[in-house]
Amino acid sequence: MKPKSPTACHFFFLISAHAQLLKDSNNGDGVFKIEENEETQIKRSDFPSGFLFGAATSAYQVEGAYLEDAKSLSNWDVFCHTVGCGENGENGDIADDHYHMFLRDIELMHSLGIQAYRFSISCARILPRGRFGEVNPAGIMFYNKIIDNLILKGGIEPFVTIHHADLPQELEDRYRSWLNPAMQEEFLYLAEVCFKSFGDRVKYWLTINEPELIAGLAYQMGIIPPSRCSEPFGNCLSGNSDPKQGGSIGLTVNCNMYEPLTESELDHRAAKRALAFQSGWTLDPSIFGDYPEEIKEYLGSALPSFSLDEKNYMKNSIDFIGINHYSTTYAKDCTNSSCCGATENRAIQGFVGTVGERDGVLIGEITAMGGSYVVPRGMQEIVNHIKIRYSNKPMFITENGYSSPDVREQRVIELMNDVKRVEFHARYLAHLAKSIRHSSEEKLFEIAEGEQMCVDISYGHLWIAINGYNVRFGLYYVDRQTLTQIPKLSARWYKNFLTNKTANVCISSGGVRNSLLGSQEMGGVRNESVGKCDHV
């Protein structure tokens, strides 16, 4: 399948299923204000006219209804019921109850003015037993209703991830899922069912979300299902690891950006190597038909080799690249000196150490995701890197978002006034717009009329496994007891952004008025013409 035009995309977290609380610094009088600089002065009109902005979720994150309408137990159901996800033993049995409340959620999207929605298919819902059972009509009907209502009621383009780390537990029990080559046939069958059932309306497909990250966390570190590991990375519960429809197909990879820790040639090489070992490991075979040279150099015969037929089969097998970008870190060479972490001193990581601090100064504000920092320039750098390395392959930025650091005693009012999230999005979008503008001027890549660019601000299941509901993304606050969804300040900012309105935001303990929306909000907008905050 080939995309209709050069493509890339920006999605925001629509619903916050995590429960990480927010704490903002203030100027001493209880008023919070976004720093005023060119990074925060970003408008919708700074992007090409065909640029799409959307929202995103994944199945286990939001659906709930874990055993309704013939759905089987998934690997995540069993993992969270057995081990417990996060320190409080939380799970996704109910989550945001999207299975029953999807019409409400689509209305939220429509009210924001978003143009695209990325969601994933639960294999356990449409194929409860994989190839060993029948297609579940109730599961197919559920996703059909989502797709139809997105298109017909909201004019929202569906982006569908076929596999987002969840699968029927039966496949794990039968043959250890991805450790068995038979899983390839399971995925092929799942994809065929999806294309047949939804392909007449879905034109953008993501095959697998972050395969390299899932391999590392599920089969190397053992901290997400099926919780297997490889020495010396951990003690694991389950042992050690051994288009005719006119659509387009892509692959989503985790793409951090890396900068050299020092100006030494070794650290510069380490930063380049880190990119190859993270995103290149997955993308190079799908585009060039083989692994990056950096990986071959350090892994040698331990790296599986491809036959000539396999190389030709894989080459240019995807139509677009999906980038999940959250953070930038420093890269340090570990070939000539020992690094701190056990994994960093091993060939499997390219003998690269990653740190967030240089000379006592953090590379950016730390977030709730371990080892993740707020570094807006990284967005511009990773987009340029991917565009150049892969010769202007159409691109979607499929995940990008802010998780506030761990402050668990904050009140709802402080959760709602998520100034840091607004700052994050404004600055990352500004650097994304700068990348488009500068790259076009330098002829690194062209922005065609009608190009679609999406950025997805969402999360994966791994944060449930590690932190339960103690890490919070999203534009809407979800009350865990009532499942009531309340728009945060960031939701109102996003709505204003999409309608090409701009405002500097300030928060006070008494709440402030959102003058752009013409209503009183649990948040506020600064009126720069009079130089003060309007309070409710």
Side-chain angles (χ1 to χ4, degrees), residues 204-498:
Y204 296 98
W205 297 92
L206 288 305
T207 53
I208 301 175
N209 186 74
E210 299 182 328
E212 79 295 341
L213 194 61
I214 298 304
L217 295 177
Y219 296 96
Q220 179 175 292
M221 303 298 293
I223 57 178
I224 67 172
S227 193
R228 296 183 178 274
C229 71
S230 300
E231 293 294 339
F233 299 109
N235 298 315
C236 305
L237 298 175
S238 301
N240 294 326
S241 297
D242 302 319
K244 64 183 180 180
Q245 293 171 323
S248 56
I249 297 175
L251 183 68
T252 301
V253 295
N254 183 41
C255 290
N256 286 343
M257 189 60 201
Y258 299 94
E259 299 178 355
L261 178 62
T262 71
E263 291 305 314
S264 71
E265 180 63 25
L266 287 174
D267 282 354
H268 275 272
R269 290 178 182 175
K272 180 180 178 182
R273 200 158 64 244
L275 288 167
F277 269 78
Q278 186 180 65
S279 55
W281 197 320
T282 303
L283 290 176
D284 273 36
S286 302
I287 295 172
F288 302 136
D290 206 350
Y291 293 116
E293 291 301 320
E294 296 91 338
I295 294 180
K296 293 181 182 180
E297 177 183 353
Y298 282 88
L299 295 186
S301 60
L303 186 70
S305 60
F306 299 119
S307 69
L308 181 60
D309 285 343
E310 287 173 332
K311 291 179 180 179
N312 291 331
Y313 183 79
M314 291 188 298
K315 190 178 297 183
N316 288 318
S317 57
I318 58 174
D319 301 318
F320 62 84
I321 298 167
I323 293 177
N324 291 355
H325 175 70
Y326 290 92
S327 180
T328 298
T329 54
Y330 295 121
K332 175 186 177 182
D333 177 74
C334 300
T335 59
N336 288 358
S337 62
S338 179
C339 294
C340 295
T343 63
E344 297 169 347
N345 290 310
R346 295 173 59 84
I348 193 68
Q349 299 288 353
F351 294 103
V352 176
T354 57
V355 296
E357 182 178 321
R358 180 168 62 189
D359 298 329
V361 179
L362 291 176
I363 191 172
E365 178 189 342
I366 196 167
T367 73
M369 296 192 295
S372 183
Y373 303 87
V374 178
V375 188
R377 65 179 181 272
M379 174 65 82
Q380 182 177 352
E381 293 168 353
I382 193 65
V383 168
N384 289 345
H385 167 75
I386 295 295
K387 280 289 184 179
I388 293 171
R389 182 173 180 87
Y390 300 108
S391 302
N392 199 28
K393 175 71 74 172
M395 184 192 312
F396 291 84
I397 300 173
T398 40
E399 288 184 23
N400 172 245
Y402 178 78
S403 59
S404 50
D406 187 6
V407 278
R408 309 181 185 201
E409 304 302 324
Q410 296 295 314
R411 298 169 299 165
V412 172
I413 179 67
E414 292 160 322
L415 281 171
M416 302 296 296
N417 292 333
D418 55 346
V419 175
K420 293 291 187 181
R421 182 167 290 106
V422 175
E423 290 180 331
F424 179 98
H425 292 319
R427 289 171 177 161
Y428 272 73
L429 285 173
H431 279 275
L432 182 58
K434 187 182 297 184
S435 176
I436 295 172
R437 183 170 60 254
H438 288 182
S439 296
S440 179
E441 292 170 356
E442 298 167 11
K443 304 302 180 185
L444 294 180
F445 61 95
E446 297 294 332
I447 302 297
E449 183 65 28
E451 174 170 358
Q452 301 154 9
M453 207 164 194
C454 276
V455 181
D456 163 300
I457 301 171
S458 68
Y459 77 22
H461 302 131
L462 66 96
W463 302 114
I464 295 180
I466 300 171
N467 299 104
Y469 291 114
N470 290 325
V471 173
R472 183 178 291 275
F473 291 82
L475 304 180
Y476 285 79
Y477 168 77
V478 178
D479 186 300
R480 300 308 311 161
Q481 301 301 315
T482 66
L483 299 183
T484 300
Q485 297 177 355
I486 308 170
K488 300 177 187 175
L489 182 66
S490 55
R492 301 177 174 91
W493 173 86
Y494 192 28
K495 182 173 183 177
N496 289 335
F497 170 82
L498 291 178

Side-chain angles (χ1 to χ4, degrees), residues 98 102 106 117 119 142-150:
H98 184 61
F102 67 90
I106 292 174
Y117 175 50
F119 63 96
F142 169 63
Y143 292 113
N144 270 328
K145 288 179 179 178
I146 289 178
I147 293 166
D148 289 344
N149 280 280
L150 286 172

